[in-house]
Amino acid sequence: MPAAQAKPELITLKQYEALPEDRRAEVFDGIIYDMASPSQDHQTISTELTTILNNYIRSQKGSCRVFHAPFDVKLSDNPLTIVQPDIMIICDKSKLDGKRCNGAPDFIIEIVSPGSASDDYIRKLYYYKNAGVREYWIVDPRRRSVVVNYFREDALNIPYTFDSTIKVHIYEDLYIDFSQIEQVLQS
C-alpha cells in the first residue's frame, strides 16, 4: 500500500507578502510555485510589447494602464491565487490598491519560458478564463508563435506565427506586427 502523501500547507496572503522581495513566485489555490528568471528573448519581447501597448493607450488618451512583471494580480482570496503576468492591461482602476491588481485584468500576455510552458498553455489559461480576463495571449519565443484567446461571446483561440500582424481584440484598431518584434530579436 503506498504511503499517504502529506497535504501541502496552504499559504496565506500575509505569508505571501512576507516573502523576500527577490523571490519570484506565484500562488495557485494556496500552493506556492517558484518562477524562473526570464531569458534575453523573453525580456526583449516583453519590452517591445509593453512599449507598443503603452504608446497606443497614450495616443488614444485611454484610461487603461499597462503593467509588467513583477506586479501581483490576486485572482482569488480563498483559496489564495496570485499571479504575476508578464504584461497586462487593467482598465478598471478600482482593482488597483497601490500594491496589486485585485481581480482579473482585461488583457494578459504570458511569454513562455522553457520551464513554464504547461503553466502558460494549461494552468493559466484555465485560471485566467475563469477569473474573467477578456483576452489572453501566449507568446512562445522558441516556437515563434502566439496563441490568442479571446473569452467573450465570440470566443476565439487562434494560433499565429511571428510573421503575423495580430489584432488586440479589446481595442477596435490596435494591431501588433510580430515581424517587427522578430526583427528586433534577430538584430
Side-chain angles (χ1 to χ4, degrees):
M1 176 178 264
Q5 291 186 352
K7 192 173 183 181
E9 186 175 325
L10 302 184
I11 192 170
T12 66
L13 180 59
K14 186 174 181 177
Q15 290 169 320
Y16 177 80
E17 290 176 337
L19 293 174
E21 283 193 32
D22 62 345
R23 183 172 178 190
R24 292 181 39 92
E26 294 179 309
V27 180
F28 292 94
D29 292 330
I31 300 172
I32 192 162
Y33 295 86
D34 289 315
M35 301 166 58
S37 294
S39 68
Q40 180 179 330
D41 280 355
H42 184 288
Q43 288 294 80
T44 300
I45 292 167
S46 179
T47 299
E48 293 297 313
L49 289 171
T50 299
T51 301
I52 291 166
L53 294 168
N54 199 47
N55 287 342
Y56 172 82
I57 291 170
R58 282 186 175 181
S59 73
Q60 301 298 308
K61 296 181 179 28
S63 61
C64 299
R65 299 277 312 272
V66 179
F67 294 90
H68 58 84
F71 187 72
D72 288 343
V73 174
K74 184 172 60 162
L75 296 177
S76 172
D77 284 307
N78 192 13
L80 185 63
T81 299
I82 296 178
V83 294
Q84 290 186 356
D86 290 311
I87 304 167
M88 69 202 91
I89 295 175
I90 301 166
C91 298
D92 180 353
K93 290 183 182 168
S94 71
K95 292 180 179 182
L96 299 169
D97 68 6
K99 292 193 289 188
R100 70 180 63 89
C101 174
N102 296 288
D106 295 270
F107 179 79
I108 290 178
I109 296 175
E110 291 286 5
I111 302 165
V112 177
S113 296
S116 74
S118 64
D119 278 346
D120 296 330
Y121 283 103
I122 300 168
R123 183 192 322 237
K124 289 184 178 179
L125 175 70
Y126 169 82
Y127 280 90
Y128 292 162
K129 181 178 182 181
N130 289 322
V133 172
R134 292 169 47 200
E135 187 166 355
Y136 170 44
W137 288 18
I138 305 166
V139 177
D140 194 327
R142 290 191 319 165
R143 294 181 179 170
R144 295 299 203 247
S145 68
V146 180
V147 177
V148 172
N149 297 281
Y150 185 63
F151 300 129
R152 289 304 182 223
E153 60 281 343
D154 52 342
L156 302 171
N157 175 275
I158 304 173
Y160 294 93
T161 60
F162 274 25
D163 61 357
S164 303
T165 298
I166 305 172
K167 181 177 184 1
V168 177
H169 290 81
I170 67 167
Y171 293 107
E172 291 294 320
D173 59 350
L174 176 56
Y175 294 83
I176 297 177
D177 183 353
F178 267 80
S179 68
Q180 293 178 350
I181 294 171
E182 177 68 22
Q183 288 175 355
V184 172
L185 290 170
Q186 299 302 320
S187 63

